[in-house]
Amino acid sequence: MLNNAYCSDKYQYTMGKSFYDCGMKDQTAIFNLFYRKAPENNNWAVVSGVDEVLEMVENLGNMPADFFEKFLPGPEYAGFRDYLSKMKFTGNIYAMREGEIVFPSQPVIIVEGPMIEAQVLETPMLCIMNHQMAVATKASRVCRATNKPVSEFGSRRAHGPWAATYGAKAAVIAGCSNTSNILTGVMFGCGSTGTMAHSYVTSFGCSVEGEHKAFDSYIRTHRNEPLILLIDTYDSLKCGILNAMRAYRENGIDDSYEYGYGIRLDSGDLAYLSCECRRILDENGFRKCRIFATNSLDEYIISDLERQGACIDSYGVGDAIATSKANPCFGNVYKLVQINGQPVLKRSEDKAKLINPGFQITYRITRNDPEKGSVFKADVTCLRGDELTEKIEAGETFTIYDENDRYKFKTFEAGSYTAKPLQVKVMDSGKRCVPEHSLMDKKAYYDSTLKHFSPSERRLINPHYYKVDISDQLYDLKMSIINRLVSEINNFSL
């Protein structure tokens, strides 16, 4: 089987060879995995993939030396190959929970360990996190477009079986009520859902009577299960809905059927057709018959259907979620922020690529509102052990300043807030040190977290931006490194 710890880029190992030969391999490095900008002008992203990252890290060092010879050939690599075949990760990892809501520049995962061990994790870690966070963040957007259930139906359009399986997992965490993917259902204990395709209907003969026979046969072979009949194979209103009602009636399926029943629309004017179907169903006594809609849906189409008053009870969304179609490439990066206790950063002429140096921790500040309950008010990322960290941990009064406009600030008085760290240790000395949460636990955590943000911060279009800052000492450290570098660059010559 594929060992995804080695789903990597060769340059991780060419760098590793230099660290090995130069005696740098055991220097203590700290890397941050984070993103700079949320996709589609979103306010934030959703964390998914941490468990798969930990599994990947534990697989490091499980390949024989001849495996490495295939991409690091030659006698000059012999000692390095032998080292790699035995190299396990021995450091620590801190991470946000799956289902957490994360803002730009905040560390999603922090890796602390020997330089060579931490460096080679970059590519496989980004591969896992960028895929799952792209899908989770898109699923969150789609599900926030409606208060109706949304099912994930995108496996056939996903970028391979791994992407389909773990993408469905990410989608469920971020709001989808279920998935059609049976492997996801089995692996994560969340079940799977699905009824029929157009080929099932046409297999009974390409005729109106064949459609009725298909519906009748399906009902008879799936009693004591939820029943959904696909009615748009030939004509939704002129025969599909009529054959569905006929088959339900002949099989004794009505509003007393305890497992639930309904119809699915997969083409045409969904707003108009759903309203017409609702009218026809109600007039014929099928008031609890649910209407399920599919057909290249996304958050914008669903929002428009809701605005038009479509009589749709639930939605199925495929490639828009499974491929994060509008923004398929998520922007997590993995950057060295400290080496042997010395903070470092990457400076760029592109200001957006400037990173925060040092060993960091992020706190989420909550206030209790008499009417709204607990409301998240701000996030602040600090250097671990700095002055602001100590004040927050002690519950003292503190003030945070906008990094880009130091005249904008907010003060939290002692006793008026609570705070929690967002990154927790998940791996200690190379061993996982936290229990696994079930998929439904992760979904519940996301749902609970989302409710603590204001409606204006949750909206899809032009969201109100939540307050996200860094501590004064982190800001000062960053600026001191930049100023020193600029001075050196300006005075540099050969």
Side-chain angles (χ1 to χ4, degrees):
M1 293 180 67
L2 174 70
N3 184 341
N4 62 3
Y6 298 99
C7 179
S8 192
D9 293 306
K10 186 171 179 179
Y11 82 157
Q12 307 296 355
Y13 289 88
T14 58
M15 288 188 287
K17 173 69 157 52
S18 295
F19 294 146
Y20 178 80
D21 288 349
C22 296
M24 293 177 60
K25 65 182 178 63
D26 294 322
Q27 291 188 4
T28 301
I30 296 176
F31 285 84
N32 282 359
L33 182 145
F34 63 95
Y35 72 95
R36 296 185 174 103
K37 187 176 187 297
E40 299 184 76
N41 294 315
N42 206 45
N43 204 358
W44 36 258
V46 180
V47 176
S48 182
V50 174
D51 277 343
E52 285 71 42
V53 162
L54 298 183
E55 180 182 1
M56 175 274 293
V57 173
E58 290 175 334
N59 283 333
L60 195 68
N62 286 342
M63 302 299 283
D66 60 1
F67 166 77
F68 300 95
E69 191 169 8
K70 298 180 189 305
F71 64 95
L72 297 172
E76 65 272 22
Y77 282 97
F80 186 48
R81 288 195 299 266
D82 184 64
Y83 171 79
L84 291 175
S85 69
K86 302 168 186 174
M87 186 186 78
K88 304 290 288 184
F89 181 73
T90 59
N92 305 318
I93 295 180
Y94 305 79
M96 294 188 180
R97 277 192 61 170
E98 293 198 61
E100 188 63 84
I101 287 173
V102 55
F103 292 86
S105 298
Q106 295 176 340
V108 179
I109 297 176
I110 299 171
V111 177
E112 177 190 25
M115 182 69 202
I116 190 171
E117 297 174 18
Q119 179 68 70
V120 299
L121 297 178
E122 176 180 8
T123 300
M125 188 178 293
L126 286 172
C127 178
I128 293 168
M129 296 301 295
N130 277 331
H131 168 250
Q132 290 200 36
M133 287 182 64
V135 175
T137 303
K138 185 63 172 184
S140 171
R141 287 180 60 81
V142 172
C143 293
R144 282 183 284 130
T146 177
N147 59 9
K148 315 285 180 53
V150 175
S151 299
E152 186 279 323
F153 279 179
S155 292
R156 67 189 62 194
R157 302 288 169 79
H159 299 148
W162 193 97
T165 303
Y166 290 97
K169 167 227 168 181
V172 170
I173 288 175
C176 287
S177 57
N178 49 50
T179 175
S180 64
N181 189 290
I182 58 173
L183 191 55
T184 302
V186 170
M187 288 175 60
F188 297 102
C190 62
S192 51
T193 186
T195 54
M196 67 176 66
H198 293 109
S199 59
Y200 177 80
V201 177
T202 58
S203 71
F204 286 83
C206 190
S207 66
V208 172
E209 192 55 35
E211 181 181 58
H212 168 257
K213 187 175 180 181
F215 292 166
D216 177 70
S217 298
Y218 190 86
I219 294 168
R220 286 189 288 104
T221 54
H222 292 278
R223 283 191 174 276
N224 302 325
E225 299 176 27
L227 299 169
I228 301 289
L229 304 179
L230 179 59
I231 69 168
D232 76 323
T233 304
Y234 304 124
D235 190 295
S236 298
L237 298 180
K238 292 182 178 178
C239 62
I241 187 71
L242 303 179
N243 271 329
M245 292 190 299
R246 175 185 171 195
Y248 278 141
R249 190 174 286 116
E250 290 171 351
N251 285 278
I253 304 297
D254 56 24
D255 286 355
S256 65
Y257 185 66
E258 63 179 300
Y259 302 99
Y261 72 114
I263 59 169
R264 175 160 74 98
L265 294 165
D266 188 51
S267 61
D269 186 334
L270 295 178
Y272 168 74
L273 291 174
S274 66
C275 291
E276 284 299 295
C277 286
R278 182 76 273 156
R279 178 184 61 81
I280 294 168
L281 290 166
D282 289 350
E283 288 176 353
N284 286 273
F286 295 99
R287 296 184 177 278
K288 291 186 179 180
C289 182
R290 296 175 64 81
I291 299 175
F292 188 71
T294 53
N295 187 27
S296 300
L297 301 177
D298 62 17
E299 66 268 43
Y300 303 106
I301 295 173
I302 290 173
S303 293
D304 197 49
L305 288 169
E306 298 278 296
R307 182 186 60 79
Q308 293 179 64
C311 296
I312 295 171
D313 297 296
S314 57
Y315 297 91
V317 180
D319 53 357
I321 289 177
T323 68
S324 185
K325 191 172 182 179
N327 204 110
C329 183
F330 196 84
N332 278 321
V333 294
Y334 185 82
K335 297 298 181 184
L336 182 68
V337 295
Q338 187 165 297
I339 183 72
N340 272 357
Q342 183 69 35
V344 297
L345 56 74
K346 174 191 181 296
R347 179 183 177 268
S348 173
E349 292 179 3
D350 183 352
K351 187 178 179 181
K353 290 194 171 185
L354 184 64
I355 70 171
N356 294 325
F359 194 7
Q360 301 158 34
I361 187 169
T362 305
Y363 292 94
R364 181 154 291 161
I365 312 302
T366 304
R367 275 181 172 164
N368 189 62
D369 185 286
E371 296 180 358
K372 301 176 183 177
S374 296
V375 179
F376 296 149
K377 301 302 292 184
D379 285 7
V380 58
T381 298
C382 310
L383 292 168
R384 289 176 180 251
D386 72 7
E387 183 179 330
L388 184 54
T389 297
E390 293 178 353
K391 285 185 176 181
I392 291 173
E393 293 281 0
E396 298 175 3
T397 298
F398 69 92
T399 300
I400 53 176
Y401 296 86
D402 189 300
E403 181 179 357
N404 298 311
D405 185 349
R406 306 301 280 177
Y407 293 100
K408 293 182 180 178
F409 60 90
K410 192 173 187 67
T411 297
F412 292 87
E413 301 290 342
S416 72
Y417 69 90
T418 57
K420 72 168 184 176
L422 297 186
Q423 301 90 1
V424 299
K425 183 180 277 190
V426 294
M427 185 167 273
D428 186 4
S429 301
K431 303 295 183 183
R432 185 184 179 119
C433 60
V434 291
E436 283 194 47
H437 295 285
S438 72
L439 182 57
M440 291 300 105
D441 286 341
K442 296 171 185 177
K443 178 180 178 63
Y445 182 79
Y446 163 78
D447 290 339
S448 174
T449 300
L450 184 64
K451 291 175 184 176
H452 292 289
F453 288 96
S454 72
S456 65
E457 291 158 352
R458 300 196 300 261
R459 65 190 178 213
L460 300 178
I461 307 298
N462 295 325
H464 177 76
Y465 280 88
Y466 177 77
K467 192 168 187 59
V468 179
D469 288 318
I470 61 175
S471 70
D472 287 350
Q473 283 178 266
L474 176 51
Y475 176 83
D476 291 342
L477 172 64
K478 177 162 68 171
M479 296 312 297
S480 68
I481 295 174
I482 293 169
N483 290 336
R484 176 178 55 78
L485 278 171
V486 169
S487 177
E488 289 182 13
I489 292 167
N490 290 339
N491 292 303
F492 181 76
S493 63
L494 293 177

